[in-house]
Amino acid sequence: MIFETLAQTGHEQVVFCHNKDAGLKAIIAIHNTVLGPALGGTRMWAYKTEQEALNDVLRLSRGMTYKAAVSGINLGGGKAVIIGDPSKDKSEALFRAFGRFINSLNGRYITAEDVGIDVNDMEYVLKETEFVTGVHQVHGGSGDPSPFTAFGTLQGLMAALNVKFGNEDVGKYSYAVQGVGHVGMEFVKLLREQGAKVWVTDINQEAVKRCVDEFGCEAVGLDEIYDVPADIYSPCALGGTVNDKTLPRLQCKVICGAANNQLANDAIGDEVEARGILYAPDYAVNAGGLMNVSLEIDGYNRERAMRMMRTIYYNLGKIFQIAKRDGIPTYKAADRMAEERINAIGRIKLPHMGNQQTRFLGRMRGQ
């Protein structure tokens, strides 16, 4: 059934990676390389089944294609997942074995950090392949992309506030932030700097405690976050939290956060629109991390990265304009904007087949 699935999702290539000695079981999915090599992070997660891991990597890699396209970046979409518990299954051997599989793709796929992976893990991957971003600054990389993702999310939020309320006064509104990991924590910090009222929740109680103690947030239970009277619901954890059960409970007027795949399905997206809630499409909002690490290919520059983050505001503005012009929900408008760019460029380019000449200027290889 795998080829039947790929025919439906449009994926170009799926690679299953196995190294018994290193304990590696991973899947790399390359969705579309019309715009350039596929770039997307590696996620390490204790998936219950291999099918669950495959479904996740197919879904996430497709999202990366749309994220790059709508952001105006010359990159395609890919993603990788490593099956394992990031709290106990990590090792140098595992990540170096994974790096070798990435290297075998000859630049068609470039990886980075995602859930369960940090800069230290990327150090090991870098020992085996050049095709990795988000590496430490000592190697000419950009380091942790989380602050950039959070800053980009703030730009998307301001665009949404402007459409919904006619102003960009972040501190004037209240927020229900679900998930205060690396990105969520940085986003909360930005909201509180503007004086906003913020409710937070997370499975990690230490992270929640930090939000309360350091930033003055109000903590609520994992399930209670859907019931707080917030103006904006900000999902910053895993996807699918806007669904049949949670949507009727939300009191917000805007949904804008850093999580991927926030809507459980298209029908939920239609219902969000019907309820008069403005949805800021996730892959357009959270593109800051991708923008940031993409700059490592040509030589990283922080000032250039910050300028790129600000384009998220204008990208969201275009999406909202398309939605209004065509009378469609914003999630469909984002897809339409991305697909139009891919189709236009696709007429003049073939899929990216990878080459060893991909340039990572300023990069010093780990030894």
Side-chain angles (χ1 to χ4, degrees):
M1 298 294 289
I2 183 66
F3 284 106
E4 193 173 305
T5 299
L6 298 188
Q8 295 174 353
T9 61
H11 281 76
E12 295 175 4
Q13 185 176 10
V14 178
V15 181
F16 293 83
C17 313
H18 180 248
N19 186 303
K20 184 178 180 180
D21 293 331
L24 176 70
K25 291 195 292 184
I27 308 172
I28 301 171
I30 297 174
H31 180 254
N32 186 292
T33 58
V34 168
L35 297 177
L39 194 156
T42 295
R43 173 171 295 190
M44 188 171 187
W45 194 255
Y47 294 99
K48 295 178 182 177
T49 66
E50 293 171 4
Q51 184 64 52
E52 184 182 42
L54 177 60
N55 291 343
D56 202 30
V57 77
L58 292 179
R59 177 176 54 88
L60 291 168
S61 55
R62 180 181 181 275
M64 292 305 297
T65 293
Y66 281 73
K67 183 182 295 189
V70 81
S71 301
I73 302 174
N74 293 323
L75 290 170
K79 206 80 174 184
V81 297
I82 296 175
I83 301 173
D85 186 339
S87 67
K88 62 182 181 181
D89 294 333
K90 291 183 178 183
S91 70
E92 177 182 356
L94 182 143
F95 286 111
R96 292 187 68 166
F98 179 63
R100 290 189 170 219
F101 279 106
I102 292 174
N103 204 54
S104 72
L105 293 171
N106 203 34
R108 271 177 55 74
Y109 170 66
I110 303 169
T111 195
E113 296 100 330
D114 202 310
V115 175
I117 302 291
D118 60 29
V119 173
N120 297 319
D121 304 323
M122 290 294 105
E123 293 275 320
Y124 293 131
V125 178
L126 182 63
K127 290 180 182 292
E128 301 295 336
T129 183
E130 189 75 9
F131 303 112
V132 50
T133 58
V135 298
H136 197 277
Q137 290 92 334
V138 298
H139 300 297
S142 59
D144 183 5
S146 300
F148 297 93
T149 304
F151 183 73
T153 301
L154 183 68
Q155 305 307 303
L157 171 64
M158 290 191 295
L161 293 179
N162 193 31
V163 168
K164 190 65 177 179
F165 303 115
N167 65 76
E168 301 169 10
D169 190 352
V170 173
K172 185 178 178 180
Y173 303 99
S174 56
Y175 303 82
V177 179
Q178 181 193 55
V180 285
H182 292 303
V183 177
M185 185 72 72
E186 293 291 335
F187 185 54
V188 164
K189 191 185 306 183
L190 293 173
L191 294 176
R192 289 295 297 142
E193 286 175 357
Q194 304 262 0
K197 164 70 176 177
V198 180
W199 288 274
V200 297
T201 193
D202 196 288
I203 57 174
N204 184 341
Q205 288 303 303
E206 287 298 316
V208 171
K209 187 175 185 299
R210 183 187 171 196
C211 288
V212 173
D213 294 345
E214 292 187 25
F215 307 128
C217 300
E218 182 176 335
V220 297
L222 291 174
D223 190 58
E224 295 169 6
I225 195 70
Y226 306 110
D227 300 314
V228 299
D231 298 307
I232 292 89
Y233 170 58
S234 295
C236 294
L238 298 179
T241 62
V242 183
N243 53 53
D244 289 329
K245 294 181 180 179
T246 62
L247 181 56
R249 298 164 59 185
L250 293 176
Q251 302 176 48
C252 64
K253 301 175 181 67
V254 174
I255 296 174
C256 180
N260 288 310
N261 305 300
Q262 296 167 17
L263 305 178
N265 50 55
D266 288 354
I268 288 295
D270 295 337
E271 182 61 23
V272 167
E273 175 81 5
R275 289 172 178 260
I277 300 173
L278 180 65
Y279 171 61
D282 45 34
Y283 62 76
V285 170
N286 64 22
L290 174 63
M291 290 177 171
N292 185 57
V293 297
S294 72
L295 293 179
E296 293 184 27
I297 296 173
D298 293 323
Y300 185 70
N301 179 282
R302 182 182 174 87
E303 183 180 347
R304 186 181 172 201
M306 296 306 291
R307 288 203 308 269
M308 285 188 72
M309 301 306 110
R310 294 185 180 94
T311 65
I312 291 175
Y313 178 95
Y314 300 101
N315 292 336
L316 265 294
K318 292 176 184 176
I319 290 169
F320 295 141
Q321 288 174 3
I322 292 171
K324 184 176 180 180
R325 179 196 71 195
D326 298 348
I328 57 177
T330 56
Y331 79 91
K332 289 183 178 178
D335 287 355
R336 184 166 296 181
M337 181 173 163
E339 289 164 358
E340 286 176 356
R341 181 168 183 247
I342 293 170
N343 292 337
I345 303 302
R347 295 189 183 98
I348 61 172
K349 292 181 68 174
L350 293 172
H352 184 86
M353 298 313 295
N355 65 78
Q356 292 289 359
Q357 303 305 313
T358 297
R359 304 175 72 189
F360 288 80
L361 301 178
R363 174 69 60 80
M364 296 181 64
R365 290 292 303 279
Q367 299 295 335

